[in-house]
Amino acid sequence: MAVSPLVMVLGVIAGLRRPAHWAAAAGAALAAVLIWWRPDFALPADARAAAAGGAGLLVLNAAAVMLPGVYLAQVLTRREVHRSLQEWVRGLPLPGPAKVALVVAGIAPMVEALTGFGVSLLVTVPVLLALAPPATALRQAMLGMNIMPWGTLGLATVIAAALTGAQTAALGTATAVTSGLVFPLVTAWAALLARPRRRFRTAAAAAGAGGVLALALLALNLAGAVQPAGVLAGLLTTALGLAACAVLRSRAGAGHAGRLLPPGGVLRAYGLVLGGIAVARAAAAAGVPSLELHAGGASFDLLSSPGLPLLAAALVLDRGRVHAPDARAASARAARPLLALAGFVALGRLMADSGMIGELGAAVAAAPPPVIALAAPALGMLSGFVTGSNVGGNALMMPLQQSIAPAGAGLGPWSAALQNSAAGHAVFTSLPMIMLVLAVAGDRAKTAGVTEHGLLRFGLKAAAAVYAALAVPAAALLWAA
């Protein structure tokens, strides 16, 4: 009975093929019925208000970033910032596999970390379609969707920290450790899909680019810059790749080095967001009062939310005016993810506060520690696949992960990081993300015969490799303990 709401969610998504918000609502409804019917899962009246308040603040944290982030994405598309970025990448003087590695380890993380919601696909899919056949390009675009723990300016990591009571910087650093092998893996895989003549050399160079991204994320999270970490790490990886290209061209005596610089509009848009975050941090350090709300173990701080810098950047680009069509489009686009998130947060709180998670945790925690270590990333990836969202996956599965990983198993402090990493790195396999990839590709995918089933099959193969990359640090943590 305790596991039945999770089974319901999986059945609605994978079996009935309904949207995530319907699955979340069905799972929450079943949990509420079990609480009403079974005394074992009774939810005390005094706990209901705290649970509702905590869930509401978690959704508010997400909405404060989602809505401005999607609005900024609309503004950037209308002002053709994304188009200029696409054209710049296409024109780079790099061989095809190297350009793919730069997109997957640099451009895609940078764009997705800034805006979220798969917006980077608007840039990467057209670029990759110009470099490879549709069947290859769309698989490469899927592999580029792996910055998720730091997507939408670290929203999933911030929410995970709120769910567990951990410090955001500490959780971000731990997540960078558990995700460390994933970025070299997916970058090398994407480059090899281009079928280069020198496979080993190409794989090594691409893995190096992914390694730069991973190390940059670790350094930035150690420094406490969790929210802009994905943008800055993507920028750094891109800059180093372009610097290497410039060195090679200078040795060859080639000119036109200016073509290596990104378009001014792109630099301005990204600089506005990063500058806004820096100003907000400085204001908080200077003691500027902020709107803070606390309820049910969760909190919301307006000044520390990246929503303000995102909105400010959009307004500066439009000279202080709100563009009504973009605002309506942003609200419509963010509505379903927010509904799904609210449903998964409610389901998670119902299951946790009623004792269902405790029942599941007690059953799984009785297993040997190696089984727990291997189950943690699998459960996290399942949550990302089912919800199609790193944030939704954390809201759904984080309480269970916390309950099955006692400190004695060596995973206690790291369970949240494993969940955060695993859910984020499985999102590219989810049906909503695959449908978005096909929608961006449009007729090119239909003409080439690329189907949802084919991409799903590829995604599950890649997910198996990602699971291995996550199981290695989980086993290492267990061994170290």
Side-chain angles (χ1 to χ4, degrees), residues 243-262:
C245 179
V247 169
L248 292 175
R249 294 189 68 196
S250 64
R251 289 179 179 175
H256 304 291
R259 291 177 60 188
L260 298 177
L261 295 177

Side-chain angles (χ1 to χ4, degrees), residues 158-191:
V158 172
I159 295 296
L163 285 168
T164 60
Q167 293 293 322
T168 304
L171 180 56
T173 301
T175 302
V177 172
T178 53
S179 294
L181 296 178
V182 174
F183 299 111
L185 168 68
V186 297
T187 309
W189 196 332

Side-chain angles (χ1 to χ4, degrees), residues 286-305:
V288 174
S290 177
L291 172 63
E292 292 189 55
L293 301 173
H294 301 271
S299 63
F300 171 74
D301 186 340
L302 180 62
L303 194 59
S304 66
S305 171

Side-chain angles (χ1 to χ4, degrees), residues 24 28 55 59 336-347:
V59 176
R336 283 193 175 186
L338 278 174
L339 282 173
L341 173 63
F344 286 122
V345 168
L347 174 59

Side-chain angles (χ1 to χ4, degrees), residues 6-341:
L6 299 180
V7 175
M8 170 71 80
V9 169
L10 182 60
V12 172
I13 289 282
L16 301 180
R17 302 173 67 83
R18 304 304 299 166
H21 60 283
W22 285 110
L30 179 56
V33 169
L34 289 174
I35 291 171
W36 168 77
W37 179 42
R38 298 290 299 179
D40 308 278
F41 302 136
L43 184 62
D46 56 348
R48 295 173 192 168
L57 287 187
L58 288 174
V59 176
L60 178 60
N61 269 295
V65 181
M66 284 184 180
L67 289 169
V70 178
Y71 179 67
L72 176 62
Q74 293 290 135
V75 173
L76 295 180
T77 300
R78 173 171 48 83
R79 300 184 70 86
E80 297 194 340
V81 174
H82 288 152
R83 180 181 293 276
S84 64
L85 183 58
Q86 292 170 10
E87 294 174 352
W88 171 69
V89 175
R90 285 175 183 164
L92 286 174
L94 290 170
K99 198 176 292 188
V100 168
L102 188 66
V103 169
V104 172
I107 306 296
M110 180 178 66
V111 178
E112 190 64 25
L114 183 73
T115 56
F117 301 100
V119 169
S120 64
L121 294 171
L122 300 176
V123 176
T124 60
V125 169
V127 169
L128 294 170
L129 281 172
L131 301 175
T136 299
L138 299 189
R139 285 161 172 77
Q140 291 168 333
M142 288 174 63
L143 292 172
M145 293 294 297
N146 262 291
I147 195 65
M148 288 305 190
W150 294 273
T152 321
L153 292 177
L155 177 61
T157 301
V158 172
I159 295 296
L163 285 168
T164 60
Q167 293 293 322
T168 304
L171 180 56
T173 301
T175 302
V177 172
T178 53
S179 294
L181 296 178
V182 174
F183 299 111
L185 168 68
V186 297
T187 309
W189 196 332
L192 289 174
L193 284 174
R195 297 184 178 179
R197 280 181 285 182
R198 299 179 177 180
R199 295 179 63 84
F200 179 79
R201 183 175 176 178
T202 298
V212 169
L213 177 65
L215 290 174
L217 287 170
L218 178 59
L220 289 164
N221 282 272
L222 280 170
V226 178
Q227 292 170 342
V231 181
L232 293 173
L235 281 170
L236 177 62
T237 305
T238 303
L240 290 177
L242 296 176
C245 179
V247 169
L248 292 175
R249 294 189 68 196
S250 64
R251 289 179 179 175
H256 304 291
R259 291 177 60 188
L260 298 177
L261 295 177
V266 174
L267 294 176
R268 182 168 179 247
Y270 282 69
L272 283 172
V273 176
L274 295 175
I277 292 175
V279 169
R281 284 178 170 270
V288 174
S290 177
L291 172 63
E292 292 189 55
L293 301 173
H294 301 271
S299 63
F300 171 74
D301 186 340
L302 180 62
L303 194 59
S304 66
S305 171
L308 285 179
L310 288 168
L311 181 59
L315 292 175
V316 169
L317 288 172
D318 275 343
R319 299 181 181 181
R321 296 188 298 268
V322 175
H323 192 262
D326 284 348
R328 288 193 294 269
S331 299
R333 187 171 181 179
R336 283 193 175 186
L338 278 174
L339 282 173
L341 173 63

